[in-house]
Amino acid sequence: MHREGHVGAALLAYAPVGFIVFVVGFEGAAMAGAVGAGLLAMVPDYDQRVPGISHRGITHTVWFAALVGIGLGLIGLAIGSNDGILAAIDLGVFGLLVGTVTILSHIAADALTPMGVEPFAPVRNDHYSYDVARAANPIANYGLLVLGIIATGIALAVVNVLSNI
């Protein structure tokens, strides 16, 4: 998939997380998480810019998703530590979720292509390809983007309705 598809997949995957965070009263964090998911959506494809790392290799695995999630979780812990242990834990878990969910959404979107992914490599070499559309297919990419925007909009609309009850 290309940028549009990956941003859409990230928003689609993040929508339920953002919804829950918004409902429990952390509106700013929910919005920041959506922006963060959009910004992180292409991180696995940075492998194309690093010599010696194959495309859709280690950066397209659950291990990399966990690493990014842990990294953002630690950043959240550090930021939240100024406001006490509960804030640190909350932001740490939130960072872990945003990072992990976003990278997993990238992997899932790439699994829609004929090239597919091996998300458990090097532990297992299971190959996943649903062969739905080529990575450059504009209909698939913009379709995912629209789905992500719709999912985010629905989550916000439901929050708005709930807050008026």
Side-chain angles (χ1 to χ4, degrees), residues 12 15 19 146-162:
L12 186 61
F19 173 78
V146 167
L147 282 175
I149 291 169
I150 288 171
T152 303
I154 289 171
L156 289 173
V158 170
V159 165
N160 188 38
V161 168
L162 291 175

Side-chain angles (χ1 to χ4, degrees), residues 43-70:
V43 167
D45 282 346
Y46 292 167
D47 61 4
Q48 296 176 77
R49 300 176 184 173
V50 180
I53 296 181
S54 62
H55 182 49
R56 294 196 184 182
I58 193 67
T59 62
H60 287 68
T61 65
V62 296
W63 323 118
F64 184 72
L67 180 68
V68 171
I70 290 168

